[in-house]
Amino acid sequence: MTPSAEMITMNLTLNNGVQLPALGFGVFQTPPEETVQAVEHALRTGYRHIDTAAAYGNEREVGEGIRRSGLDRDEVFIETKIWISDYGYDTTLHAFDKSAGKLGVDRIDLLILHQALPSRFDLTVEAYRALEQLQADGKVRAIGVSNFMREHLDELLGKTTVVPAVNQIEVHPYFKQPDVLAADTEHEILSQAWSPIGGITFYQEGQGGSVLDDPTVTRISSAHGKSPAQVMLRWHLQQGRSAIPKSVKPARIEENFDVFDFALTDAELAALDGLHRGVRRGPEPADITLESFGREIPEA
Ligand code: NDP
């Protein structure tokens, strides 16, 4: 059954019992000089979950935006990611110190590995063991991964103890990754959609056009008097995913949070599912290597 608007809760419960606000706010490609204002505006709008990454170069400004919002630290769920150059047990423990130092916090709510390193899976496992230790020490409340395919999850689960709470992956109507979503579900890992409104289909050169202009999406948005972005966010939420849309524009930050007063029908959800083209727009996970993607993450 499709849940009604009222049935959608704002929080999702992770596999370790921690509550995650389903709709978060992303800051990939948000320049540091715009990040404080964007994060502060998002929090004043009602978002209570910010997704950043060591590799985004704006953790310091995310921390400042949170402080300027006037909210207590405990009211905001902070998610960040360890970059591949910091994989390795001790290096990843230190990467926590770098991120926490820049954010200005002593505890991170959700700390995830940004990518699998298929050619150095030993380093990926070492990094994940460091996350397990940080969780055991109470320095992070939940741990997880990003861009892990089914085979990466299987290998990780075979070599570590804590099942990731979250797998953050590219999901929008043009690329749904059904097999990874299924693998996540099988392991009780929450799927979290990056580029949830298909940002990567229009901010990056490539084939296929923008999902924001897709006729099926615009037909459904017209039927509800909502925007294409709002329809896609609703699709994620009704299918049980977390979503983390990004914007630097105050009106869009508000628009993307205004998704709790309508519900898509089963037919509309199925029509959106039917747009899947099977073409990845982000980097191919198998191609992620230290040689091609490595870069130094500065100290705090
Ligand atoms: P999104 O799907 O969130 O789209 C963002 C783009 O859409 C921006 O160009 C933004 O421009 C524009 N936009 C935002 N709101 C609207 C709207 N209502 N109508 C029309 N356009 C809009 O893509 P992202 O790739 O940014 O993904 C979201 C977040 O996911 C990132 O910020 C990051 O936190 C995470 N992410 C993680 C990755 C990973 O590897 N783990 C990879 C990529 C993203 P403007 O700012 O000008 O409004």
Side-chain angles (χ1 to χ4, degrees):
M1 190 187 93
T2 301
S4 68
E6 296 69 37
M7 287 166 68
I8 299 288
T9 55
M10 300 277 286
N11 285 321
L12 293 167
T13 303
L14 301 178
N15 62 15
N16 68 349
V18 166
Q19 300 272 301
L20 169 103
L23 187 61
F25 182 68
V27 294
F28 173 47
Q29 302 184 113
T30 302
E33 61 276 14
E34 295 179 55
T35 302
V36 175
Q37 188 189 7
V39 167
E40 182 180 355
H41 192 75
L43 293 171
R44 292 192 187 280
T45 299
Y47 295 80
R48 290 292 180 270
H49 165 194
I50 312 291
D51 175 70
T52 181
Y56 298 169
N58 56 17
E59 287 173 310
R60 211 176 292 284
E61 291 75 17
V62 166
E64 182 59 23
I66 293 170
R67 285 186 290 280
R68 287 210 199 162
S69 74
L71 292 168
D72 288 343
R73 163 68 189 92
D74 290 347
E75 291 179 82
V76 183
F77 191 100
I78 303 178
E79 174 173 1
T80 191
K81 317 184 189 76
I82 307 279
W83 188 240
I84 54 171
S85 309
D86 281 338
Y87 284 8
Y89 188 78
D90 290 331
T91 321
T92 301
L93 289 180
H94 182 60
F96 166 84
D97 294 331
K98 291 198 277 188
S99 285
K102 289 173 193 165
L103 288 159
V105 298
D106 47 25
R107 198 192 65 242
I108 289 170
D109 298 288
L110 175 59
L111 187 60
I112 67 179
L113 300 185
H114 206 140
Q115 300 276 353
L117 263 181
S119 57
R120 290 299 312 271
F121 211 80
D122 57 323
L123 276 181
T124 311
V125 170
E126 289 287 298
Y128 193 80
R129 289 198 178 122
L131 298 193
E132 291 180 321
Q133 188 60 50
L134 289 163
Q135 180 169 276
D137 292 344
K139 291 183 172 178
V140 303
R141 295 171 65 218
I143 61 177
V145 296
S146 175
N147 299 307
F148 271 47
M149 304 295 99
R150 178 185 282 277
E151 63 272 20
H152 305 139
L153 292 174
D154 287 344
E155 189 168 354
L156 186 79
L157 289 166
K159 293 177 174 166
T160 58
T161 308
V162 177
V163 177
V166 164
N167 188 13
Q168 184 183 117
I169 56 170
E170 179 183 348
V171 186
H172 46 75
Y174 282 174
F175 190 60
K176 200 180 170 193
Q177 308 213 58
D179 184 54
V180 183
L181 293 181
D184 288 348
T185 302
E186 286 162 29
H187 297 301
E188 295 185 27
I189 299 168
L190 176 70
S191 301
Q192 184 173 57
W194 69 249
S195 265
I197 60 168
I200 200 161
T201 68
F202 54 87
Y203 66 60
Q204 193 170 88
E205 294 292 313
Q207 304 288 314
S210 165
V211 69
L212 276 178
D213 301 326
D214 185 277
T216 299
V217 175
T218 53
R219 173 180 58 75
I220 296 171
S221 74
S222 301
H224 289 277
K226 288 289 191 176
S227 72
Q230 289 171 323
V231 163
M232 285 188 266
L233 292 169
R234 194 70 207 176
W235 172 70
H236 291 291
L237 296 176
Q238 286 186 218
Q239 295 189 340
R241 290 184 290 281
S242 170
I244 44 172
K246 170 264 179 188
S247 179
V248 293
K249 299 188 170 62
R252 287 177 173 176
I253 292 172
E254 292 165 27
E255 175 188 323
N256 295 344
F257 197 72
D258 182 17
V259 295
F260 296 102
D261 63 349
F262 76 112
L264 302 175
T265 65
D266 286 345
E268 289 167 337
L269 294 172
L272 294 167
D273 287 342
L275 299 179
H276 176 61
R277 297 169 170 184
V279 179
R280 183 187 304 284
R281 302 297 289 268
E284 187 58 51
D287 294 344
I288 303 292
T289 62
L290 283 170
E291 293 69 30
S292 51
F293 287 91
R295 76 175 128 119
E296 192 183 335
I297 301 298
E299 295 295 325

